[in-house]
Amino acid sequence: NAGVTQTPKFRILKIGQSMTLQCTQDMNHNYMYWYRQDPGMGLKLIYYSVGAGITDKGEVPNGYNVSRSTTEDFPLRLELAAPSQTSVYFCASSYPLRGPSSYEQYFGPGTRLTVT
Amino acid sequence: DAKTTQPPSMDCAEGRAANLPCNHSTISGNEYVYWYRQIHSQGPQYIIHGLKNNETNEMASLIITEDRKSSTLILPHATLRDTAVYYCIVRVEGGTSYGKLTFGQGTILTVHP
């Protein structure tokens, strides 16, 4: 198992550009999540998905879009990048069953994004 | 979700036990205590969770007080590789929570040689 993989590892964007952060998991997890982490801060939930075709907003969704067409993939789209979106982005997935195990999340290595 | 309070930083000597406290005085009966850690520049890593009984796994032990208002994560023999930010998270199980986690500032644990 590769676990949760994210691409790219690093990216520099100019203001107003768009990009898609890729996330793939090979553990057959139904639940997937996108978090962002600003320097010195904890992680904040952007979007999450409980299965293919089902997504919902987290704490900080503005400026982002997601889709979930397959169980494995959960891409995060940034439209019109702004300096405030400079952050480290983490994708995570968790077990499909409800209950305490659904909180045992597996995280990817992160994408470090700079918007200038 | 119950709010958690953790000290911003702690130090520990290599080979000694690291005891990381977490206060969650407003925890309700169906909320679990979860611990994650984040080693520098990496994604967070699940450590352990519990409801009211003490729990132990290969990484750590979790001690929850009888009134459930606080807990302690114990790393029995800390190594330099345990230097990380440790997050204590309280979440309700089931319903529409869908496994979402809320991360606070955590405790920066530094293990010294």
Side-chain angles (χ1 to χ4, degrees):
Chain A
N1 278 353
V4 179
T5 57
Q6 293 183 238
T7 56
K9 287 187 169 54
F10 303 93
R11 183 73 185 269
I12 298 174
L13 278 182
K14 294 188 185 304
I15 294 172
Q17 288 185 321
S18 301
M19 76 165 294
T20 299
L21 283 66
Q22 301 292 345
C23 174
T24 299
Q25 54 90 11
D26 62 358
M27 298 172 283
N28 200 34
H29 288 173
N30 278 7
Y31 295 173
M32 295 188 74
Y33 315 84
W34 273 106
Y35 296 89
R36 60 175 286 175
Q37 185 174 32
D38 298 334
M41 306 295 288
L43 284 73
K44 293 185 178 180
L45 183 65
I46 305 172
Y47 271 95
Y48 67 99
S49 170
V50 300
I54 306 170
T55 63
D56 206 350
K57 297 177 181 178
E59 184 183 0
V60 289
N62 290 345
Y64 307 94
N65 281 300
V66 294
S67 59
R68 183 96 181 270
S69 57
T70 67
T71 298
E72 295 78 19
D73 300 307
F74 190 38
L76 177 72
R77 177 82 177 162
L78 277 73
E79 304 281 2
L80 300 174
S84 60
Q85 293 178 303
T86 294
S87 191
V88 181
Y89 292 83
F90 291 101
C91 179
S93 69
S94 66
Y95 289 128
L97 298 177
R98 277 196 177 175
S101 291
S102 68
Y103 300 134
E104 185 175 340
Q105 293 187 14
Y106 293 77
F107 284 79
T111 293
R112 282 149 186 79
L113 176 68
T114 301
V115 182
T116 62
Chain B
D1 302 325
K3 180 178 170 58
T4 60
T5 303
Q6 299 178 251
S9 64
M10 295 184 65
D11 291 326
C12 178
E14 190 176 21
R16 306 298 289 267
N19 297 287
L20 292 93
C22 180
N23 181 284
H24 31 80
S25 58
T26 61
I27 194 170
S28 59
N30 62 347
E31 288 184 307
Y32 286 73
V33 179
Y34 282 75
W35 283 85
Y36 279 75
R37 73 179 182 184
Q38 186 175 23
I39 296 170
H40 182 61
S41 298
Q42 298 181 19
Q45 176 190 24
Y46 165 83
I47 301 173
I48 198 167
H49 73 273
L51 180 62
K52 52 185 176 182
N53 296 321
N54 298 338
E55 302 287 345
T56 296
N57 63 20
E58 64 279 4
M59 290 183 66
S61 294
L62 174 60
I63 308 298
I64 302 174
T65 58
E66 192 167 343
D67 63 8
R68 302 187 68 237
K69 293 184 177 182
S70 65
S71 60
T72 301
L73 178 74
I74 300 173
L75 308 178
H77 305 286
T79 70
L80 299 179
R81 288 174 294 179
D82 292 322
T83 292
V85 180
Y86 287 78
Y87 296 100
C88 171
I89 299 168
V90 171
R91 279 296 296 180
V92 69
E93 177 265 333
T96 58
S97 56
Y98 299 121
K100 293 177 288 182
L101 297 172
T102 300
F103 290 81
Q105 298 281 79
T107 295
I108 301 172
L109 174 68
T110 304
V111 181
H112 298 284

